[in-house]
């Protein structure tokens, strides 16, 4: 078999590029067919991009080396097809540099801007560099434009009420005009059109998991935790005193929904456990309300729902207490248990009077939860509740995690340690993680 030439390598790089574009777009065709959200396919975007990076660099450096040996570098690079090749290479290497974790974490806007500019210029460079890459360039352009079109079609402009939840350092964004069209666990991308967000801030778009259930009077609710510049500005805007009910109205653009639980139907499991950290409670609030609604309509098999929520401060429970209490009271056929853990020693007056947590359905404890034990307890309760002739009909346990990556890693490890007997008893354990980043 003949060894690949330098020219073959440009073909290898170009032929991978449609995959890089397809896996990187928010509305990607592959995700649609696989039933998986774009954020779960990002690893494929990165892997295919690395192949392009290596192939394009070996191809270009090979030619540069050849021209240098022949002492005609300047002559060669002056040819349009060669300088377009060099422009393409700069785009690819620039993309790699600004996509590193450092830039993604420290300068997200720079990462985003370089992505948009370089990926657009790269398509033009491919068109002028080499005849053979033209079909691939068209494929990339088509995927990119289709994504932009779908983003426009999926965008709604509305008015939101923003309110701070100081105990959690969160801005609650409520959009009553949008109250259907999503499933629990999905997220939207939010743009706040207000001068209060600053010169660049109003043009930025940020992802947030939907915290409410569809068809509720409050509409679409988001919990936006203060994490950096944009979320801090949103919090400051909402934190204006003197307004009626302490609410402020702002114009927003909501794009989505995206992602979510994919092929999982939580209502088809026998039990569900949600493990959340801080603002990751959004997955549980939407999924639990959806499950309770389905249960009341006779459309759910779930017999036990358990929520384990870890927060820094015990007072974080105060704003969510009405919602938690109503979920426990509403769930007539399914047992709901909510265990809240706080990790910081309380300073000042404890926010709850002695004896407040008498019911076993809602508990507040210091320290970190023992996830494995909670999961095994839920299995026991579920198995006990479905005793008798129907006990063979166990449909498995769903474990949903939402929060930082370290929390998800810990839960995956703990779930792996579950007693195999217990796991078989419930019909298997399936995990789903929503982490706030990629
Ligand atoms: C799928 C998904 C769902 C999320 N759901 C929630 C939620 O329900 N509640 C919540 O409080 N937070 C959520 N986040 C995180 C939230 O999007 C970021 O905290 C927010 O965008 C930070 O913006 P900033 O400018 O204030 O902070 P920055 O200081 O700019 O960034 C802080 C961190 O957020 C990341 N980030 C910044 N901008 C974006 C962006 N446009 N897109 C993706 N990541 C970004 C950065 O990489 C960095 O790691 C979610 C993130 C993702 C990816």
């Amino acid at each position: 078999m003949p060894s690949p030439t330098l020219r073959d390598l440009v073909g290898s790089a170009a032929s991978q590029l449609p995959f890089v574009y397809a896996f990187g777009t928010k509305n990607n065709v592959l995700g649609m067919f696989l039933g998986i959200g774009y954020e779960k396919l990002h690893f494929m975007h990165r892997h295919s991009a690395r192949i392009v990076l290596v192939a394009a660099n070996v191809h270009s450096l090979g030619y540069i080396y050849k021209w240098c040996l022949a002492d005609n570098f300047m002559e060669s690079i002056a040819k349009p097809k060669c300088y377009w090749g060099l422009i393409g290479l700069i785009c690819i290497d620039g993309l790699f540099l600004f996509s590193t974790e450092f830039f993604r974490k420290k300068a997200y806007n720079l990462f985003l801007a370089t992505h948009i500019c370089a990926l657009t210029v790269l398509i033009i460079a491919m068109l002028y560099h080499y005849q053979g890459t033209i079909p691939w360039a068209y494929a990339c352009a088509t995927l990119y434009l289709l994504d932009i079109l779908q983003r426009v079609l999926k965008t709604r402009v509305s008015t939101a009420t923003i309110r701070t939840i100081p105990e959690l350092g969160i801005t609650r964004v409520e959009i009553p005009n949008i109250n259907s069209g999503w499933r629990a666990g999905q997220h939207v991308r939010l743009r706040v059109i207000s001068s209060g967000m600053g010169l660049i801030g109003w043009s930025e778009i940020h992802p947030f998991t939907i915290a409410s259930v569809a068809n509720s009077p409050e509409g679409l609710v988001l919990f936006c935790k203060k994490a950096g510049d944009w979320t801090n500005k949103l919090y400051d805007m909402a934190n204006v005193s003197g307004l009626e009910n302490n609410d402020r109205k702002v114009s927003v653009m909501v794009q989505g929904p995206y992602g979510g639980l994919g092929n999982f139907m939580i209502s088809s499991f026998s039990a569900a456990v949600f493990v959340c950290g801080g603002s990751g409670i959004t997955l549980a609030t939407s999924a639990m309300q959806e499950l309770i609604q389905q249960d009341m309509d006779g459309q759910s098999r779930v017999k036990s729902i358990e929520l384990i929520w870890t927060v820094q401060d015990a007072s974080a429970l105060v704003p969510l207490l009405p919602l938690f209490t109503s979920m426990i009271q509403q769930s007539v056929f399914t047992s709901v248990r909510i265990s809240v853990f706080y990790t910081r020693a309380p300073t000042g007056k404890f926010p709850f009077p002695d004896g407040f947590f008498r019911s076993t359905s809602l508990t507040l404890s210091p320290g970190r939860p023992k996830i494995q034990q909670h999961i095994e307890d839920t299995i026991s309760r579920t198995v006990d509740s479905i005793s008798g002739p129907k006990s063979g009909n166990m449909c498995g346990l769903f474990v949903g995690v939402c929060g930082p990556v370290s929390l998800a890693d810990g839960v995956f490890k703990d779930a792996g340690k579950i007693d195999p007997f217990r796991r078989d008893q419930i019909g298997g354990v399936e995990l789903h993680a929503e982490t706030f980043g990629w």
Side-chain angles (χ1 to χ4, degrees):
M1 207 171 92
S3 56
T5 62
L6 286 175
R7 189 171 290 177
D8 292 336
L9 282 166
V10 73
S12 311
S15 61
Q16 290 302 310
L17 268 170
F19 290 102
V20 178
Y21 280 73
F23 285 121
T25 50
K26 301 277 175 277
N27 301 284
N28 69 67
V29 196
L30 300 163
M32 257 181 251
F33 283 121
L34 296 169
I36 302 174
Y38 73 92
E39 75 285 6
K40 302 275 183 310
L41 290 171
H42 253 110
F43 77 101
M44 293 294 287
H45 169 69
R46 285 189 202 149
H47 282 316
S48 44
R50 281 178 199 134
I51 296 174
V52 172
L53 178 83
V54 172
N57 274 282
V58 175
H59 162 76
S60 312
L61 293 176
Y63 274 104
I64 292 170
Y65 178 68
K66 238 170 76 174
W67 296 333
C68 288
L69 281 186
D71 208 12
N72 62 359
F73 175 80
M74 291 312 284
E75 260 168 59
S76 305
I77 205 71
K79 290 180 198 155
K81 71 176 235 176
C82 297
Y83 66 68
W84 276 112
L86 184 64
I87 292 171
L89 180 72
I90 293 169
C91 289
I92 291 172
D93 288 348
L95 277 168
F96 172 70
L97 175 70
F98 291 110
S99 302
T100 47
E101 200 173 342
F102 175 80
F103 286 103
R104 283 205 319 271
K105 293 259 180 288
K106 302 275 175 220
Y108 191 88
N109 285 341
L110 183 62
F111 154 76
L112 191 68
T114 48
H115 249 69
I116 295 169
C117 297
L119 287 171
T120 310
V121 176
L122 183 59
I123 293 177
I124 301 167
M126 278 165 76
L127 289 173
Y128 290 110
H129 177 51
Y130 176 58
Q131 277 274 318
T133 60
I134 293 176
W136 306 115
Y138 282 134
C140 295
T142 310
L143 290 164
Y144 195 26
L145 292 174
L146 268 177
D147 177 46
I148 293 173
L149 179 71
Q150 286 206 55
R151 285 187 201 199
V152 174
L153 295 175
K154 276 186 166 186
T155 299
R156 288 186 65 179
V157 181
S158 192
T159 304
T161 305
I162 52 173
R163 185 185 311 157
T164 56
I165 306 181
E167 295 88 346
L168 284 161
I170 275 176
T171 312
R172 185 181 192 275
V173 179
E174 190 178 307
I175 311 163
N177 290 344
I178 304 178
N179 73 349
S180 63
W182 72 87
R183 277 181 64 198
Q186 288 196 295
H187 68 270
V188 288
R189 302 177 76 228
L190 180 76
R191 177 175 282 138
V192 177
I193 314 163
S194 164
S195 55
M197 296 304 291
L199 205 59
I200 302 174
W202 70 268
S203 65
E204 286 181 31
I205 188 157
H206 290 259
F208 295 100
T209 307
I210 304 169
S212 55
V213 66
N215 302 317
S216 68
E218 57 187 359
L220 189 138
V221 176
L222 306 171
F223 287 167
C224 311
K225 178 141 177 82
K226 283 165 63 170
D229 208 28
W230 191 88
T231 40
N232 284 342
K233 278 191 190 132
L234 182 66
Y235 188 89
D236 292 344
M237 247 174 61
N239 199 16
V240 279
S241 53
L243 289 172
E244 196 190 333
N245 303 329
N246 219 7
D247 290 348
R248 181 171 177 171
K249 302 251 187 279
V250 284
S251 293
V252 290
M253 276 170 98
V254 181
Q255 190 192 97
Y258 293 111
L261 299 167
N263 299 323
F264 279 113
M265 282 183 70
I266 313 180
S267 56
S268 65
F269 287 82
S270 294
V273 175
F274 298 94
V275 186
C276 306
S279 56
I281 189 65
T282 45
L283 171 71
T285 49
S286 58
M288 285 171 72
Q289 288 181 84
E290 196 172 278
L291 277 177
I292 293 167
Q293 216 171 56
Q294 286 170 333
D295 192 33
M296 287 195 289
D297 297 341
Q299 291 172 353
S300 169
R301 285 169 183 261
V302 177
K303 289 285 159 252
S304 328
I305 304 173
E306 167 123 19
L307 164 63
I308 304 153
W309 186 33
T310 310
V311 287
Q312 286 185 344
D313 205 290
S315 62
L317 175 58
V318 177
L320 288 186
L321 198 59
L323 175 66
F324 287 173
T325 317
S326 97
M327 285 199 297
I328 292 167
Q329 284 168 355
Q330 271 179 33
S331 183
V332 189
F333 308 111
T334 307
S335 96
V336 173
R337 271 193 194 198
I338 299 175
S339 313
V340 182
F341 291 85
Y342 58 94
T343 52
R344 201 182 275 166
T347 48
K349 194 170 176 283
F350 197 69
F352 301 99
D354 285 346
F356 186 85
F357 296 96
R358 281 209 196 95
S359 122
T360 50
S361 301
L362 178 62
T363 57
L364 176 69
S365 327
R368 294 198 179 273
K370 293 192 173 79
I371 305 294
Q372 185 192 341
Q373 194 186 323
H374 276 275
I375 295 178
E376 288 184 348
D377 287 351
T378 308
I379 295 177
S380 302
R381 274 192 297 128
T382 312
V383 171
D384 290 348
S385 70
I386 317 180
S387 52
K390 281 191 171 177
S391 58
N393 296 342
M394 290 294 171
C395 302
L397 168 78
F398 171 85
V399 180
V401 195
C402 193
V405 177
S406 55
L407 175 78
D409 288 345
V411 174
F412 273 69
K413 251 188 221 154
D414 283 344
K417 290 185 212 152
I418 298 171
D419 180 358
F421 171 72
R422 285 255 170 262
R423 201 174 24 230
D424 291 347
Q425 250 188 334
I426 191 92
V429 176
E430 294 207 37
L431 285 112
H432 172 85
E434 290 284 325
T435 49
F436 291 167
W438 40 69

